[in-house]
Amino acid sequence: MTEPVTGPDARGHWGQFGGRFVPEALVAALDELDAAYRKAMADETFTAEFDRMLREYANIPSPLYHAERLSREVGVRVLLKREDLNHTGAHKIRNVLGQALLTKRLGKNRIIAETGAGQHGVASATAAAYLGLDCTVYMGAEDCRRQALNVARMKMLGAEVIPVTAGSQTLKDSINEALRDWVSSVDNTHYLLGTAAGPHPFPVLVRDLVSGIGREARAQCLDMIGRLPNAVTACVGGGSNAMGIFHAFVPEESVALYGFEAGGKGLDTGKHAARLVVGNQGVLHGARSYLMQDDDGQIIESYSISAGLDYPSVGPEHAWLKESGRATYEAVTDAEAMDAFQRLCRTEGIIPALESAHALAGALRLAPVLRERHGDDAVVMVNLSGRGDKDMETAATYFGLTEDAA
Amino acid sequence: MSVTPAFEAAKRAGRAALVGYLPAGFPTVDESIAAIETMIDSGCDVIEVGLPYSDPVMDGHAIQRAAAMALAGGCRTREVLRVVEAVAGKGVPILVMTYWNPIERYGVDAFARDFAAAGGAGLITPDLIPDEAAEWIAASDAHDLDRVFLVAPSSTKERIALTVNACRGFVYAQSIMGITGARDSTSSAAPGLVERTRAATDLPIGVGLGVRDGDQAAEVATFADGVIVGSAMVSCLLDAPDEKAGRKALGSLTAELAEGVARGAG
Ligand SMILES: Cc1ncc(COP(=O)(O)O)c(C=O)c1O
């Protein structure tokens, strides 16, 4: 069926994707990180310490949950990987704890992070507080205004939040700013990149740190139903939660992998973040992947109701999974995601992150197809990458609940 | 036209070459052409034309602002080629300093062809390292263009060797760990980096990032073959009340820097 999916190679390439499109000044730090990470992953004291932190501090492994009422409604069995129950409310805690631990191994005492809505910023500030590191978070000035509460959270945890006023004042500009900081501070600072994107080794490093999601889910699923699911769905922002759950299933050819990007207001409106679905290849933030760009290669601003999916590039391994045919990528609009969001609230008493609502909407869209293919036994596993507390303002506005209260 | 004759002429004159940077389209396409002509008339030996880009990770405040103004004014790759065409042929080689994505989007070989046809000398690629540059190396060979990669204070001996072997024209030594922007003092890392680079190549070595006045240019000229000035030139235009005053300031700064590079080596 599909080409074998392997990778990356030693220089961080999955086929034509990935690599390092960075200033030479950063190459030494990336080499150092690559070597340290390989050594750490092969070192039992590191992996044991990482596992202990996940278990004792972050409430991991997260459960795999059979959403029975929802399943009955849609006609296929829906399993939710409950990453929303992790400390700080998302899969991201795995990545930040892993990289913060690496930072200490590198002998560095400061981390910098970029954040869009604030989720990765809060997670980074948390890991920094937990491990006693200094933390600076770059956040677009526009995002700071939209997410004032998350800014307060980060500050409460002891992080310095620097509003970025350049460019579109959103996530992509905070990544640029973090890279600028890193070029100047690489001696004592680790750039704790928030997703499976960026220059090598970040995409593979982050994927490995979050890949416990899929390993746990695979074992939990075998325990629960005695076989693997027919399909796994995840939302794709930078790509970390999706790679996290996909990785353990990539070799399992019976399991279909589906990534859902933000279709925003619709693919024909230009207001979306469907890079893999309608974007084209290019280079941004250190890697070759799929991008939102104009005919001149200038980066176009992306859009999603879900801040965590609002990013004009995507991790290179997803570009490769798409190219090789191993995974399928589709777009879910704001409206579809909000429907799925409300449906999960009402059927299961779980308020998901808007990002996760995209993965769920995708699963609901797939349900009739899976049912046709696999009958009554069809099983879809959804990575519920995070909880919706952070999104209540958006959701309340969307559903007109704020007026009701007044 | 390669930069090689310009560096050789400066060397024969017993001085370093002055390399001046300005983004195309800043403040407008026509005004950028006029400003570059001023830089040529006032003593620049080599010109770097910046290709304005939405995500300039290596650039500090001044150049970011200038690039954003150029983009807002509609300056795209085709306009950059128009600027190159307008200022080439005045005896001063024209390089384009560009982030990599716009070149890929244009088509690497197509850009090399059109750029060479416009009279351009070569590219400086701040976010393209030789490791990822196979397509550009082939295209620049095919169209006989200079290829300027960067070395940095953090570069190992192996990376310096790899980088200089991929360069043609000159080698760009980024003198500080940091981004573009004029600084009060130049880097203490620069002389050592130039020395390490010189041990690996016979190509001329230009030093950039941070130079803003004649004294600093003179200091850098004591150990480098070229002195590269960007943000300070951009600031002349950013800070001026009008276009004419901006060009006047740019002309005097260029003259001061040209005097500096001559003094430094003397
Ligand atoms: C809960 C949640 N899920 C998913 C994402 C999307 O990111 P990624 O694709 O890197 O996992 C985010 C990003 O903020 C998030 O907060």
Side-chain angles (χ1 to χ4, degrees):
Chain A
M1 54 166 261
T2 52
E3 289 175 49
V5 175
T6 53
D9 67 16
R11 294 193 298 130
H13 294 113
W14 284 271
Q16 71 266 46
F17 302 108
R20 280 182 184 168
F21 294 82
V22 291
E24 166 66 22
L26 289 179
V27 170
L30 292 168
D31 278 341
E32 175 192 45
L33 179 62
D34 189 36
Y37 136 76
R38 278 170 207 285
K39 246 177 99 183
M41 289 304 198
D43 175 353
E44 268 177 43
T45 55
F46 180 87
T47 52
E49 176 68 356
F50 181 45
D51 285 347
R52 187 195 62 76
M53 284 163 43
L54 293 181
R55 206 172 51 243
E56 293 176 6
Y57 183 70
N59 199 29
I60 282 166
S62 63
L64 184 68
Y65 165 71
H66 176 200
E68 280 189 55
R69 285 187 8 99
L70 182 66
S71 300
R72 266 199 301 281
E73 275 196 24
V74 299
V76 303
R77 195 181 324 208
V78 181
L79 304 180
L80 304 178
K81 178 62 174 163
R82 296 288 308 272
E83 290 293 290
D84 59 316
L85 295 176
N86 298 348
H87 181 46
T88 68
H91 68 288
K92 292 178 179 289
I93 193 72
R94 299 175 187 256
N95 175 40
V96 294
L97 288 178
Q99 287 198 53
L101 200 58
L102 259 179
T103 305
K104 299 203 84 159
R105 266 178 91 100
L106 289 164
K108 299 181 174 186
N109 61 7
R110 175 176 180 255
I111 55 171
I112 48 178
E114 82 293 342
T115 198
Q119 193 72 0
H120 175 58
V122 169
S124 299
T126 301
Y130 177 62
L131 287 174
L133 300 164
D134 290 337
C135 178
T136 302
V137 179
Y138 289 96
M139 185 170 184
E142 180 58 33
D143 290 333
C144 286
R145 274 189 293 278
R146 291 194 289 211
Q147 301 286 339
L149 207 57
N150 270 335
V151 174
R153 270 191 195 111
M154 289 180 253
K155 290 183 175 167
M156 193 68 77
L157 292 160
E160 181 188 9
V161 180
I162 302 185
V164 176
T165 53
S168 55
Q169 314 198 354
T170 59
L171 177 62
K172 97 178 158 63
D173 308 285
S174 32
I175 296 181
N176 293 336
E177 212 56 43
L179 285 166
R180 287 191 188 96
D181 180 322
W182 203 31
V183 178
S184 325
S185 65
V186 70
D187 280 348
N188 71 337
T189 299
H190 172 63
Y191 178 12
L192 207 169
L193 195 77
T195 191
H200 178 64
F202 282 109
V204 63
L205 159 66
V206 175
R207 179 256 270 161
D208 287 351
L209 291 174
V210 296
S211 61
I213 303 172
R215 278 194 307 277
E216 292 161 21
R218 187 181 182 286
Q220 290 165 326
C221 187
L222 290 174
D223 256 7
M224 186 185 280
I225 63 169
R227 66 178 181 87
L228 297 177
N230 301 106
V232 171
T233 77
C235 65
V236 185
S240 67
N241 86 92
M243 276 323 306
I245 198 160
F246 285 0
H247 189 55
F249 291 102
V250 167
E252 306 284 359
E253 299 225 337
S254 69
V255 181
L257 304 176
Y258 285 91
F260 292 96
E261 300 186 288
K265 295 185 195 278
L267 298 187
D268 49 357
T269 65
K271 293 195 119 347
H272 61 78
R275 306 130 309 177
L276 292 161
V277 177
V278 294
N280 39 47
Q281 292 182 29
V283 167
L284 180 67
H285 295 149
R288 185 191 308 285
S289 186
Y290 278 82
L291 308 182
M292 311 230 336
Q293 58 181 325
D294 68 15
D295 292 344
D296 289 289
Q298 305 287 342
I299 304 306
I300 295 174
E301 278 178 49
S302 51
Y303 161 84
S304 169
I305 192 167
S306 159
L309 302 183
D310 185 0
Y311 177 50
S313 182
V314 61
E317 192 167 5
H318 286 293
W320 178 234
L321 288 174
K322 170 194 157 86
E323 198 87 342
S324 66
R326 178 62 188 92
T328 304
Y329 296 88
E330 295 179 5
V332 162
T333 62
D334 288 354
E336 289 171 276
M338 295 313 285
D339 282 351
F341 174 90
Q342 193 174 41
R343 197 147 174 199
L344 192 67
C345 294
R346 300 289 166 87
T347 54
E348 298 290 341
I350 296 171
I351 303 179
L354 295 184
E355 292 85 354
S356 316
H358 284 71
L360 188 70
L364 300 184
R365 184 195 288 169
L366 276 176
V369 182
L370 293 173
R371 201 179 154 76
E372 196 165 309
R373 264 188 227 153
H374 307 285
D376 286 346
D377 287 340
V379 176
V380 61
M381 180 189 282
V382 179
N383 192 9
L384 209 73
S385 58
R387 65 173 190 239
D389 304 32
K390 68 184 175 67
D391 298 317
M392 280 322 295
E393 220 177 277
T394 309
T397 307
Y398 183 88
F399 292 111
L401 305 181
T402 37
E403 289 100 78
D404 286 1
Chain B
M1 177 190 199
S2 165
V3 297
T4 307
F7 275 95
E8 282 174 356
K11 190 172 181 182
R12 273 197 307 277
R15 62 181 180 84
L18 177 62
V19 183
Y21 168 95
L22 206 71
F26 163 70
T28 66
V29 171
D30 288 338
E31 287 171 36
S32 69
I33 292 170
I36 290 168
E37 283 168 347
T38 299
M39 287 158 70
I40 293 173
D41 294 343
S42 313
C44 278
D45 300 296
V46 175
I47 295 289
E48 286 180 17
V49 175
L51 189 148
Y53 183 52
S54 54
D55 292 79
V57 282
M58 271 290 284
D59 287 312
H61 196 64
I63 293 178
Q64 266 188 75
R65 259 181 70 200
M69 282 170 68
L71 285 172
C75 181
R76 294 295 188 273
T77 309
R78 247 178 300 280
E79 284 73 35
V80 176
L81 289 170
R82 176 155 83 78
V83 171
V84 170
E85 188 155 33
V87 297
K90 297 184 191 300
V92 168
I94 311 296
L95 298 162
V96 159
M97 159 85 94
T98 180
Y99 293 92
W100 192 239
N101 196 52
I103 303 303
E104 279 213 357
R105 194 75 186 123
Y106 194 99
V108 177
D109 192 72
F111 184 85
R113 177 199 64 211
D114 293 353
F115 176 68
L123 295 187
I124 304 174
T125 50
D127 65 346
L128 185 72
I129 52 177
D131 317 50
E132 303 282 358
E135 205 182 348
W136 164 231
I137 288 171
S140 49
D141 280 346
H143 299 281
D144 205 16
L145 293 168
D146 286 343
R147 235 175 2 238
V148 181
F149 295 106
L150 280 67
V151 292
S154 58
S155 301
T156 59
K157 189 173 174 196
E158 292 71 31
R159 288 211 55 84
I160 288 178
L162 171 89
T163 305
V164 300
N165 286 334
C167 284
R168 193 159 58 198
F170 78 105
V171 182
Y172 193 131
Q174 175 191 334
S175 66
I176 47 153
M177 291 297 284
I179 53 178
T180 59
R183 286 172 176 79
D184 287 340
S185 58
T186 49
S187 154
S188 54
L193 175 60
V194 170
E195 198 177 313
R196 292 198 295 137
T197 308
R198 230 185 259 301
T201 184
D202 294 330
L203 285 172
I205 300 164
V207 167
L209 294 192
V211 176
R212 59 153 200 200
D213 62 25
D215 287 344
Q216 287 178 344
E219 187 191 327
V220 173
T222 58
F223 58 86
D225 307 303
V227 178
I228 305 166
V229 184
S231 296
M233 298 213 169
V234 168
S235 294
C236 287
L237 301 189
L238 274 177
D239 299 343
D242 59 50
E243 186 197 325
K244 217 174 126 217
R247 272 215 302 283
K248 188 154 175 271
L250 184 62
S252 3
L253 176 68
T254 306
E256 178 190 332
L257 292 164
E259 184 276 326
V261 296
R263 170 158 50 97

